[in-house]
Amino acid sequence: MADGEPDYSSLPLTERWVHKVWKVRKQAYEEAAQQFETTPDEYDPAFRPFNQDPSLWKGAVADSNVAAQSDGIAAFCAFLKFGGKECCTRSRGQVITPIVEKGLVSTRPATKASSIEALLLLIELDVANPVVEDILPAINAKQPKVIAAALAALTTIFHNYGCKVADPKPVLKILPKAFGHADKNVRAEATNLAVEFYRWLRDAMKPMFWGDLKPTQQSDLEAQFEKIKAEPPPKQERLLRSQQAAKARAPAAGADEEIDDDDGADEPAEVDAFDLAEPQDVLSKVPAGFHENLASSKWKERKEALEALHAVINVPRIKDGDFNEINRGLAKCMKDANIAVVTQAAQCIEVLAAGLRKSYGKYRSIVMQPIMERLKEKKQSVADALGAALDQVFLATSLSECLEDILSFLGHKNPQVKEGTMKFLVRCLRTTRVAPSKQEVASIVEGAKKLLSESSEGLRSGGAEVLGTIMKIIGERAMNPHLEGLDEIRKTKIKEYFEKAEVKAKDKPKPPPAPAARGPPGGPKKVVGGGAKKAPGAAKKATPAAPVPPPQPVAEFTPPTPQPASRTGPGSKLGMPKPSGLSGLKAPQRRIAPPGVASPRRAPAAAAPPPPVEDEELPASPPPPKPRIGLGRGGLAARSLAKPASTPAAAPSAPSPPPSSGLTAMERAELEELRAANERLTKQADEMRHERSKLLSEIQELKNQNAGLIEDHTRDVLSIKAKETQLVRARSDAEAAEQVNERLRRELERLKRALSRAEGLGVSGAMGSPGMTSPTPDDMGIYRDGANYSGVRTNRMSFTSTLSEEKENGDVPHNYPRSKLSPELRYGSGSSGRGSPARGFRSAPIDEGSGHGTGSGTSSVAGGGVSNGAESWKRAAEVTSQLKARIEQMKAKQGFSRP
């Protein structure tokens, strides 16, 4: 073994790296680490073998020998630390899984610390997401210690780099699975990771996994969250290499800018639940009959439809789609007479705008005006719901987009709408991150000033609050011109609101530095320096001449202006440099010109006094740039421009040559072009604004027409339904009448048959006894024979049978007197059982043939008296007439007339 050691050291490093003897591998790891530490830069040849074959690190970080493994992971950390980004990206895919499975679970603290350091270095050199993605599969490992170690590593990563560098969404999704693990160590590490997330995300993380936890776990986590709520917001403890480089460059640009950038970076530290959530497709889940139920005439059905929609769209993030129809229906609900429907519709708009964010901006024109029109509602719960909906719509758009509608409703005739719009404007000014433009500020101030003269105290205070908030955004100095003409009481009130206002947008004076940065390139600075050196000499030359000195010192004080003179174009773009600078340019010309033509230039100068009037107009437009350019060039230049302002005031009168220079004409021409272009753009903007207002009015008219057509359609549908109901009732009445008619027709037929039967029986009786009496017709035209007793009896039987038929058919017959039906039965002494015909009918039937064929019957009738037979026939005729009258009464009662 001792003899073989020199051979091991003589082997190449890569061969010793994979040697079967662990001591050889350990020495190779140590040697590689020392080589990496002594390299001058990341391009040293020591890194080349490992970049060409990154799989060498897979065996090193997962070495079977724990001592060698510790040195292997330490060597990998040195490789990353000194090797740079290329070493990280090439080896990352080979080492993360072995480190998680073998290094993080090591019993040696040094190995575990090196493993975590290696993961942090992999993130530091590049980005965090690939590292986190490679760690997450370990959550599904069989061994609980691997899962717990992976969760602990994730906690360390998010603790050092925060949730801006490392994306928390994939980790939040697996948290419920970790909380449901059977091993208590895994659950404990999951709790630590959730607490770390709460430090960065607060309640925004809860929608991602909170609903999947058990109530006891939720209560335990809430107790842990309470402990860290009072802690200050966390900060990133470890910077990426890219961040370190940016921070190293920042001091060169200025310490103040670095501080501002840091503040701007820390300000949006809060992570929103919207950023963490995945977009969900809710259009496919909208109930099928939503629009039909929303157009229902019953307010409960409309409210239930809106509640079902709210349950569907109440998600953290909504996938973009075509929500035009839904928003039109919600906007129409703003006109609903039932406030419960209005409140629910406002809540749906709020949730939809919060879920779509910027994608909801295209629906603003559909819903904003109806919501603001409904602000007249006095009930506080409805007003709160409408205000929340407006706030979410504003967050999806910008102040510039909403301002026109807000200003139009600030002048609404309803005070309640005015007040609600004013409160909405104040909230918009506090929330917006983009400061309004000067034109927008002017329009807002004009509308707020009108509120100051309102009769309501709430509106007056609201106007002052709007002005105070605007002042907070643009500053006191910029606001002072807008407050001219207001009394001191109102100014004091506006100042109070200004001090209390909290805004997120501030008017940033960034435009001035831009020209200053352009102004002092190397070339112009040299020209300025040259001019400054020449100026003293010129001053010395100018002092001997008494009359000439006043104009020349002005030219001498303005040598910095050759800077814009060398760049006429940029100078004009910077806002027309000072006319004093132009005069300074002409002074050198006069110095050069005397040998040739000096007097001719003075003559035209004397003849050209009008141009100075235009020159006086020129400085009127560019006064703001003066101090900015001066400050950009330096304190001395600024002082020289400010102090001699009194001397140039007198100088222009004497030296008239400056206006006649070509540069002034060029600048004047450029200014005229800019003015003309400005006028054209202003006209175009006015035309576009007018056209837009016209189109908006047309859209509103079309909306009104559409609403009217919908109402007419609804009314027509209701009237059609009412007519259908009337038709159904008429049909049922007709069917009932037909049934009654049929029943009466059957009754009439039955009565006719009974009458014809009675008539037939009477005729046959008369033919049987022609010798007794002659038949006499009654009122009905029925001939009765009073001499035939058997005919009388048969007639009685027919009437009795008719009555029995009426009883069988369900018609109760009239209680006719018994004497009228059979008077002869009471007084006659008929033979053969005729004395009691009632009993005869009930018990023993009488043979008709015996009455007609036997002599005894005939003799008994003859002996009985003909007078009784005649009386019975008369009575039968009376009964018949009564029956006829009864039939007529029944017909008249049922509405039928006899044909």
Side-chain angles (χ1 to χ4, degrees), residues 7-240:
D7 296 334
Y8 291 148
S9 59
S10 63
L11 289 174
L13 181 64
T14 53
E15 291 184 13
R16 285 182 285 151
W17 196 272
V18 293
H19 202 276
K20 62 180 181 179
V21 179
W22 68 268
K23 288 184 179 180
V24 178
R25 296 196 302 270
K26 186 174 183 299
Q27 290 176 356
Y29 301 155
E30 294 173 352
E31 183 180 342
Q34 292 174 1
Q35 288 181 7
F36 297 149
E37 291 173 1
T38 57
T39 53
D41 56 30
E42 60 188 35
Y43 305 105
D44 193 86
F47 299 104
R48 191 174 300 131
F50 300 97
N51 285 333
Q52 291 175 350
D53 187 10
S55 60
L56 292 172
W57 290 111
K58 185 176 182 180
V61 299
D63 200 295
S64 56
N65 185 275
V66 291
Q69 182 192 17
S70 180
D71 290 335
I73 297 177
F76 181 67
C77 290
F79 174 73
L80 293 176
K81 187 175 180 180
F82 298 101
K85 184 176 179 179
E86 184 181 3
C87 298
C88 164
T89 54
R90 287 180 178 272
S91 60
R92 182 171 54 200
Q94 302 286 338
V95 298
I96 294 178
T97 302
I99 287 176
V100 173
E101 294 178 353
K102 300 290 185 180
L104 293 176
V105 297
S106 175
T107 56
R108 290 195 169 195
T111 305
K112 189 179 295 186
S114 299
S115 301
I116 294 176
E117 179 65 19
L119 294 176
L120 295 178
L121 282 170
L122 286 170
I123 296 174
E124 178 183 325
L125 290 168
D126 190 22
V127 290
N129 292 342
V131 178
V132 174
E133 290 174 2
D134 288 343
I135 294 175
L136 286 179
I139 306 299
N140 300 320
K142 294 182 179 180
Q143 295 179 336
K145 64 177 182 179
V146 176
I147 302 175
L151 291 173
L154 290 172
T155 305
T156 306
I157 289 171
F158 284 101
H159 181 79
N160 283 275
Y161 293 105
C163 290
K164 281 189 173 182
V165 175
D167 186 12
K169 284 193 285 187
V171 185
L172 286 170
K173 291 179 182 178
I174 57 95
L175 268 183
K177 185 174 183 180
F179 274 104
H181 200 277
D183 190 79
K184 63 178 182 178
N185 295 326
V186 174
R187 296 196 300 272
E189 292 297 339
T191 303
N192 295 336
L193 182 57
V195 171
E196 184 62 35
F197 276 136
Y198 189 80
R199 290 179 64 240
W200 294 91
L201 306 177
R202 298 298 178 183
D203 292 334
M205 71 171 188
K206 289 187 177 180
M208 297 290 292
F209 71 97
W210 197 254
D212 298 329
L213 302 182
K214 297 178 181 178
T216 55
Q217 292 174 335
Q218 292 180 357
S219 59
D220 293 343
L221 284 176
E222 288 291 354
Q224 295 290 332
F225 295 161
E226 286 295 330
K227 297 178 183 177
I228 61 173
K229 276 186 179 179
E231 294 181 3
K235 292 185 179 181
Q236 185 176 342
E237 296 183 1
R238 189 160 177 164
L239 299 177
L240 302 178

Side-chain angles (χ1 to χ4, degrees), residues 665-723:
M666 290 170 59
E667 291 176 355
R668 191 178 300 118
E670 187 173 356
L671 179 63
E672 292 300 328
E673 290 178 3
L674 291 174
R675 285 177 178 170
N678 188 20
E679 290 178 2
R680 284 198 305 272
L681 292 174
T682 306
K683 288 181 182 179
Q684 290 179 2
D686 293 339
E687 291 175 0
M688 295 292 289
R689 196 177 295 110
H690 179 67
E691 187 176 356
R692 184 174 182 272
S693 61
K694 189 188 299 181
L695 291 174
L696 287 175
S697 62
E698 290 178 2
I699 290 171
Q700 191 61 35
E701 290 177 3
L702 291 174
K703 287 180 180 177
N704 295 337
Q705 292 178 5
N706 188 24
L709 291 174
I710 292 173
E711 291 177 0
D712 294 341
H713 175 68
T714 307
R715 197 181 304 113
D716 294 342
V717 170
L718 294 176
S719 62
I720 289 171
K721 289 183 178 179
K723 295 294 183 185

